[in-house]
């Protein structure tokens, strides 16, 4: 209930701004960790849009989540420099070790896996971010150690 109030407040703050829907959705996800599906009608009302239109935007951009992420959010860079240094294999390793698909959350709800496109560490690729902390020159063994530490800390 409180989440819906927060979502409505953020949407209302952007409703008169041209192109304000995306900033509103970013603001809601930053505040709540996801875009609650039950907030979609409230957001639509603020922007005078249909629920389907808002849902379409939320589902179009992979960045937006409809459910909370796990406590350990693992992001693997898939941009060019990291791809040339084995990011695809690293992403497959990550999915295997975390036990979830890309854009998914592990069965125990602890870890989520997302691709990102450049973490600013191109010269030290491949790179990942774990709960917004970036790590460079990632090997599978290093990945496992970083994720294990994050799991035990969360
Ligand atoms: S391409 Fe991966 S950090 Fe820039």
């Amino acid at each position: 209930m409180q989440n819906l109030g927060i979502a409505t407040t953020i949407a209302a703050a952007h409703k008169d701004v041209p192109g304000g829907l995306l900033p509103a959705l970013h603001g809601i996800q930053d505040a709540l960790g996801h875009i609650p599906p039950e907030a979609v009608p409230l957001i639509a009302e603020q922007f005078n849009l249909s629920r389907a239109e808002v849902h379409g935007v939320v589902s179009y951009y992979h960045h937006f989540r409809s459910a909370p992420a796990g406590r350990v959010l693992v992001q693997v860079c898939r941009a060019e420099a990291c791809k040339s240094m084995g990011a695809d294999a690293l992403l497959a390793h990550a999915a295997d070790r975390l036990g979830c698909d890309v854009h998914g959350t592990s069965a125990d709800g602890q870890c989520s896996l997302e691709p990102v496109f450049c973490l600013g560490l191109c010269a030290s690729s491949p790179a990942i971010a774990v709960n917004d902390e970036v790590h460079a020159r990632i090997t599978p063994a290093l990945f496992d150690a970083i994720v294990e530490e994050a799991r035990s800390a969360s």
Side-chain angles (χ1 to χ4, degrees):
M1 200 61 157
Q2 185 186 7
N3 283 356
L4 297 183
I6 292 169
T8 302
T9 300
I10 293 171
H14 291 84
K15 69 177 183 177
D16 295 323
V17 178
L21 179 59
L22 279 175
L25 293 174
H26 279 286
I28 292 166
Q29 181 155 301
D30 287 348
L32 305 178
H34 68 297
I35 312 288
E38 58 272 25
V40 168
L42 304 173
I43 299 166
E45 188 180 329
Q46 292 294 326
F47 284 91
N48 199 23
L49 296 169
S50 71
R51 296 175 185 195
E53 286 171 309
V54 174
H55 174 75
V57 173
V58 171
S59 57
Y60 178 79
Y61 293 101
H62 286 307
H63 173 74
F64 295 126
R65 289 187 289 271
S66 292
R71 285 175 293 160
V72 178
L73 175 59
V74 178
Q75 297 173 303
V76 177
C77 178
R78 299 196 68 201
E80 198 170 324
C82 286
K83 260 177 122 49
S84 73
M85 295 299 286
D88 287 346
L90 182 62
L91 189 63
H93 174 81
D96 184 53
R97 295 308 292 233
L98 299 176
C100 65
D101 294 329
V102 178
H103 298 295
T105 298
S106 58
D108 63 4
Q110 199 174 19
C111 299
S112 293
L113 176 61
E114 293 181 349
V116 287
F117 292 90
C118 198
L119 292 165
L121 295 170
C122 316
S124 307
S125 53
I128 65 171
V130 177
N131 289 343
D132 291 329
E133 187 176 322
V134 293
H135 303 271
R137 294 192 174 95
I138 299 300
T139 62
L142 193 49
F143 176 91
D144 293 350
I146 291 166
V147 168
E148 191 49 47
E149 186 179 327
R151 267 188 158 144
S152 52
S154 68

